[in-house]
Amino acid sequence: MTLNIRDRETDALVRKLAQTRQIGLTEAIREAVSESLAADERKASLWQRTAALRARVASYPRTGAVADKAFYDSLSGQGDD
């Protein structure tokens, strides 16, 4: 598979990255693109990043238990007067 970079500035940047990291051109492009995609994923909202977790929690069956003030107080030892 061939990647033909016709833009001189882009070519120079890829070559500089490869030289700085002492890696090949293909690896330099791979790392740059991977880092850019990771940065984009970090920019996703918390709501978007937790979608899979929220779906998993929503799939659990309902227990019918009520998490009210008395329940939380019992967890902390409060309300045992």
Side-chain angles (χ1 to χ4, degrees):
M1 197 174 250
T2 302
L3 180 62
N4 186 6
I5 299 173
R6 295 182 181 177
D7 179 70
R8 289 179 194 243
E9 182 181 356
T10 302
D11 181 70
L13 289 170
V14 170
R15 289 180 186 281
K16 183 176 181 179
L17 180 62
Q19 182 179 13
T20 302
R21 295 187 180 180
Q22 297 181 346
I23 56 178
L25 296 175
T26 300
E27 184 64 20
I29 293 169
R30 181 183 304 115
E31 286 183 12
V33 171
S34 293
E35 290 169 9
S36 181
L37 289 171
D40 287 350
E41 288 177 8
R42 287 189 299 270
K43 290 178 187 175
S45 71
L46 179 60
W47 187 257
Q48 291 168 326
R49 293 190 322 262
T50 60
L53 175 62
R54 289 182 289 102
R56 182 175 166 196
V57 170
S59 72
Y60 295 151
R62 301 281 181 185
T63 64
V66 177
D68 56 5
K69 183 176 181 337
F71 169 76
Y72 288 110
D73 286 349
S74 72
L75 295 177
S76 65
Q78 304 259 337
D80 294 336
D81 298 329

